[in-house]
Amino acid sequence: RMPASIPEADRRHRASAAFSLSFLSLVFSITAFSSSHWCEGTRKVAKPFCKGDSKGNLCIRFNSPDGNNSQAVQYIWETGDDKFVEKNFHAGIWYSCEEMINEDGERCRSFISLTPASDRGVLWLSIVTELLYVVLLLTGNILMSVEIFYYSSVIDGLKINAFSAVVTVLAGLLGMVAHMMYTTVFQMTVNLGPEDWRPHTWDYGWSYGLAWTSFACCMAAAVTTINKYTKTILEFKHKRKKLERSFRIQYNFPDH
């Protein structure tokens, strides 16, 4: 007969902790994957010419009749930074958006179309890996929820626990690789992308931080799951040794 399991309350507490971390990781990964704020920054562009009654500091107005003369235009574009304006932009895996000058709203373009042709394969690989990361996280969540809410024998729980640990660790590794591949692709796009997109200044946005937070939660869930599995196995071994020692004592010194 198999020895008794670890206390039920402690087992469920560890299982709940692992499930909570894995669920947070899933929510963070889906949010980051669907957003366009992995990278944020500014683009430095020449101010457009004012049209009609346009006013303000975001366009260039000519007061002379030959304002549209090519030499005047060339002079205006080559003068100091006051003839340029910075536009905010943000980019994600799917698309990149930048604010409009003298207009409300943003103009968005597919980030895949902006990526250099030589790096699009890596970007698609990153997208596929991110999808696999989400799928494995979802699988791990389902297995952990089954372990918590489906009360079966301890042996069945250990089998589910071991499988969910393997799935969660694999998900974490895929997530790490996917994030690093996207980082590489974005940096290559900054250097080799279209002239009308290249940023003047940029940094990583909240989605990028959320993606790595998802990875951290995923690995924490994996460690918690493995720790629970290991503790249960050690508890089994300890109980078995105590039982064998008790049988040995009873065999050598029978009670008359």
Side-chain angles (χ1 to χ4, degrees), residues 175-231:
M176 178 183 66
V177 172
H179 303 344
M180 293 177 66
M181 283 193 296
Y182 176 79
T183 304
T184 302
V185 170
F186 185 84
Q187 291 176 350
M188 293 300 294
T189 306
V190 168
N191 296 325
L192 304 175
E195 289 286 348
D196 64 342
W197 177 85
R198 294 183 192 177
H200 178 61
T201 60
W202 67 275
D203 201 351
Y204 296 111
W206 61 267
S207 295
Y208 188 80
L210 199 63
W212 283 108
T213 303
S214 170
F215 165 75
C217 289
C218 176
M219 297 310 295
V223 170
T224 304
T225 306
I226 294 172
N227 179 266
K228 176 179 176 293
Y229 177 83
T230 304
K231 185 173 181 179

Side-chain angles (χ1 to χ4, degrees), residues 53-179:
D53 297 330
S54 299
K55 297 180 181 180
N57 298 323
L58 299 180
C59 63
I60 301 174
R61 175 172 294 280
F62 292 101
N63 294 323
S64 60
D66 62 341
N68 292 324
N69 181 275
S70 60
Q71 293 182 352
V73 172
Q74 184 71 17
Y75 170 76
I76 287 295
W77 280 50
E78 290 182 353
T79 50
D81 288 347
D82 58 330
K83 300 305 178 185
F84 292 85
V85 63
E86 290 188 347
K87 297 196 301 182
N88 296 322
F89 86 97
H90 54 89
I93 292 178
W94 298 107
Y95 51 91
S96 174
C97 299
E98 61 184 46
E99 63 180 347
M100 304 287 288
I101 300 179
N102 293 323
E103 294 182 27
D104 295 331
E106 296 179 325
R107 181 171 70 99
C108 296
R109 290 180 283 180
S110 169
F111 183 74
I112 298 173
S113 64
L114 300 172
T115 307
S118 59
D119 295 309
R120 285 179 187 171
V122 180
L123 179 60
W124 278 112
L125 185 59
S126 172
I127 292 174
V128 172
T129 309
E130 285 282 356
L131 288 173
L132 288 175
Y133 173 52
V134 173
V135 170
L136 288 176
L137 281 177
L138 180 60
T139 304
N141 272 266
I142 293 174
L143 290 172
M144 292 177 188
S145 62
V146 168
E147 183 186 0
I148 293 174
F149 299 109
Y150 178 69
Y151 297 101
S152 59
S153 66
V154 179
I155 297 301
D156 292 337
L158 276 176
K159 293 177 181 178
I160 297 175
N161 191 245
F163 191 48
S164 61
V166 172
V167 169
T168 308
V169 170
L170 182 58
L173 294 176
L174 287 177
M176 178 183 66
V177 172
H179 303 344

